[in-house]
Amino acid sequence: MSVVTRSKKQKKKGLVAEIQQELQKVTWTSKEELRTFTKIVIGSTFFFGMSVYLTDLTMQSFLQGIGQVCKWIMGGYA
């Protein structure tokens, strides 16, 4: 039974070569695509954040209204 062992240096060289081969297969986005996608992400994030904010304000107002109705019904003891 023969065991083939590679030195750590050979393993690292093989790993680096494999990484370089994989990086050559990658198709990178162009600068214009990157700008467009960045604008989409920023716009979507802003829209989502404003939606959460407005929903929070609505729910807060609704709950305060319920609190006021309870105070009115209970005569200020709630």
Side-chain angles (χ1 to χ4, degrees), residues 37-78:
F37 295 147
T38 301
K39 289 175 186 177
I40 290 170
V41 168
I42 290 171
S44 299
T45 303
F46 178 78
F47 177 75
F48 180 72
M50 288 303 293
S51 298
V52 170
Y53 175 70
L54 292 174
T55 301
D56 180 54
L57 285 178
T58 303
M59 293 298 294
Q60 187 177 20
S61 297
F62 177 73
L63 292 174
Q64 284 177 351
I66 290 175
Q68 291 297 325
V69 169
C70 288
K71 283 183 182 179
W72 179 70
I73 290 173
M74 301 293 271
Y77 296 109

Side-chain angles (χ1 to χ4, degrees), residues 3-16:
V3 176
V4 178
T5 57
R6 293 173 26 179
S7 70
K8 288 183 181 181
K9 195 172 188 178
Q10 288 174 332
K11 287 181 184 178
K12 286 182 183 179
K13 284 184 182 180
L15 178 63
V16 170

